[in-house]
Amino acid sequence: MTSPKKALLALAILALGACTNPDRFGDGANDVNLNSTFDPTLNGLGDPSNPNSPAYFNQTVGDRVLFAVDTSTLTSQGETVLSQQAAWLMANGEYNATIEGHADEQGTREYNLNLGERRANAVREFLISQGVAANRISTISYGKERPIEICSEEACYAQNRRAVTVLGAIPTS
């Protein structure tokens, strides 16, 4: 490598170095509220003690149901959670719901996308049967692409076989 090329490379490295995070070594000078207590109302979901807030829905009602291996059949426990979700959605008409279908990491990508779709649709159909308007519920399948537990044990697999209800505000005209 010639001297001008070396000089240009060194200059480029120095220029890129100037773009780095000034607090990269963690001296805390740029940290905000490191010692403050976490406030769940700041996450945009509202107050978890307010029965009309999405935080209450997630934490108290429950935002997910689990499934047995290779099935999209709702369990009685899942139906109980979904009945509470339906009641909350009917009392809070300003929200719609997207049902995310998930699968564990076993099986092919295509198979798990289809299984996630069947799980999301099972939840959607149950919510509709409980009186939630169909136009307020959409579905999406992530298959095995978004695990919440990563390991090759049944305990992890069981947590990944799920459908999650994600709330969103209904757009105003």
Side-chain angles (χ1 to χ4, degrees), residues 39-149:
D39 183 352
T41 62
L42 298 177
N43 64 8
L45 298 178
D47 182 357
S49 64
N50 176 354
N52 297 319
S53 76
Y56 180 89
F57 177 89
N58 290 348
Q59 294 178 18
T60 305
V61 172
D63 66 346
R64 69 195 59 212
V65 294
L66 301 177
F67 292 86
V69 176
D70 198 30
T71 183
S72 58
T73 304
L74 294 168
T75 63
S76 60
Q77 184 179 11
E79 288 180 350
T80 300
V81 170
L82 293 175
S83 293
Q84 294 171 353
Q85 285 186 10
W88 191 93
L89 285 164
M90 292 180 3
N92 295 278
E94 66 273 20
Y95 294 98
N96 57 21
T98 300
I99 313 301
E100 298 177 346
H102 299 270
D104 63 34
E105 66 187 59
Q106 302 173 93
T108 66
R109 182 177 186 274
E110 182 180 348
Y111 178 82
N112 283 318
L113 282 170
N114 289 330
L115 180 57
E117 182 178 350
R118 291 193 308 272
R119 288 174 174 165
N121 283 326
V123 169
R124 181 179 190 275
E125 293 305 315
F126 186 89
L127 292 173
I128 291 169
S129 77
Q130 298 295 299
V132 180
N135 66 349
R136 291 179 58 204
I137 308 169
S138 61
T139 61
I140 188 167
S141 175
Y142 291 111
K144 63 182 180 179
E145 305 304 317
R146 293 188 175 185
I148 56 173
E149 293 289 338

